[in-house]
Amino acid sequence: MRRIAALSGRSARRRTGLLRVDGPQAVRSLLSERAADARELFLTETADAAHPELRELAERAGIRPRTVAEEIIRAMARSDDADHGADDVATPQGAIAVAARPADDWSTALGALPDSGPLTLLVLAEVRDPGNVGTLVRAADAAGADLVVLARASADPWGPKAIRASAGSAFHLPVVTGAPLPELLEALAARGIAVAATSGHADADLFELELPGRLAWVMGNEARGVDEETLAAADLAVRIPLAGRAESLNVATAATVCLFETLRQRHGGIRTGAAGSATP
């Protein structure tokens, strides 16, 4: 129990190369999409009866699930780790898996993308809250993004809270960490991928702009947004128009709007000008 609970801490995950996956939905995604990474599965009798597919997927992957009491599952999900970035999942809903941490080389992941054709990337710069990180990964997955890259100083997407907030999406698309932002921006330019960042002071309106086909959205810190240096380096600075009295959107909502506007333009065209003509 202590060994698995310790995986709430970032240092334990780095030391062991393992991560903890809490809850049936995230466990199902792990076993469906990254079965080779799965190492252990613990289920309560209630969860086993409610989600028989988890046992079937695990056994197909060569893992023998262990049936444990509810209090054991709760103890595994608790953390007494004092490291920055430790988090708890109060209700793992009777299912916990242990898995190997996925490969985490951002330059290799970027190099594996196609050299031509449309691409959508999400870059997180100093997004500190693991719940926000997981929600952003989920939004990227839902909008059909090809890659999520976390620059240094962002929360770990492989912490239990982030994985749970991603609702399994962390296992659906490549998610890599540790990219130095200046080097990443240079590498994106070399691959012909434009960089866009949001700013409330930008002149360009997101909904009036024709977005490049190969595009990386950079989302910044929850409190400060994208820093001035990154904004200056971006190919596009865009503003999300607000109709009401709210001063801004939180980072997860802003990213979702931008990602789905990118998806909309690729699939349905955009309307421009007074005549409302469409540009594919």
Side-chain angles (χ1 to χ4, degrees):
M1 290 186 293
R2 287 194 296 269
R3 172 177 61 86
I4 294 171
L7 295 175
S8 286
R10 195 167 193 164
S11 62
R13 295 192 295 272
R14 286 175 173 168
R15 184 177 66 254
T16 63
L18 298 173
L19 55 88
R20 196 182 78 221
V21 183
D22 299 330
Q25 186 172 6
V27 170
R28 186 184 306 111
S29 290
L30 166 69
L31 295 172
S32 299
E33 305 296 330
R34 305 274 184 91
D37 291 339
R39 297 292 181 267
E40 297 176 273
L41 175 61
F42 301 89
L43 298 168
T44 63
E45 289 184 358
T46 300
D48 199 3
H51 305 282
E53 75 282 1
L54 299 182
R55 178 173 291 273
E56 293 170 9
L57 288 167
E59 291 176 347
R60 199 179 303 163
I63 296 168
R64 184 177 179 180
R66 302 184 204 177
T67 303
V68 297
E70 181 66 41
E71 54 265 30
I72 300 296
I73 289 284
R74 285 199 299 268
M76 288 177 175
R78 241 185 351 251
S79 171
D80 56 4
D81 194 299
D83 293 345
H84 177 73
D87 52 34
D88 295 338
V89 176
T91 54
Q93 297 178 308
I96 284 182
V98 176
R101 184 183 175 110
D104 207 20
D105 186 336
W106 68 269
S107 59
T108 299
L110 187 60
L113 296 175
D115 293 325
S116 61
L119 286 173
T120 302
L121 282 69
L122 179 63
V123 177
L124 307 185
E126 295 189 58
V127 179
R128 302 294 180 88
D129 182 86
N132 280 338
V133 167
T135 301
L136 287 157
V137 170
R138 184 179 184 179
D141 179 26
D146 300 280
L147 176 66
V148 177
V149 183
L150 287 89
R152 290 175 181 168
S154 288
D156 185 4
W158 303 116
K161 185 176 180 180
I163 292 174
R164 181 152 181 160
S166 82
S169 287
F171 304 112
H172 296 169
L173 76 167
V175 178
V176 292
T177 68
L181 195 55
E183 291 179 29
L184 174 61
L185 297 181
E186 290 179 8
L188 291 170
R191 296 297 309 278
I193 301 170
V195 172
T198 58
S199 169
H201 305 292
D203 293 328
D205 184 317
L206 172 66
F207 302 132
E208 295 178 355
L209 187 66
E210 184 174 359
L211 298 171
R214 294 169 66 83
L215 183 62
W217 284 104
V218 179
M219 295 291 154
N221 179 264
E222 290 91 341
R224 302 184 301 276
V226 178
D227 64 85
E228 292 298 327
E229 185 176 353
T230 302
L231 272 174
D235 300 286
L236 299 170
V238 302
R239 171 177 46 83
I240 300 173
L242 304 178
R245 297 172 62 188
E247 294 183 359
S248 63
L249 299 173
N250 68 35
V251 64
T253 303
T256 301
V257 171
C258 294
L259 289 164
F260 274 89
E261 175 61 13
T262 306
L263 179 65
R264 185 193 71 82
Q265 290 194 21
R266 290 199 183 141
H267 286 271
I270 60 171
R271 294 188 176 275
T272 59
S277 60
T279 302

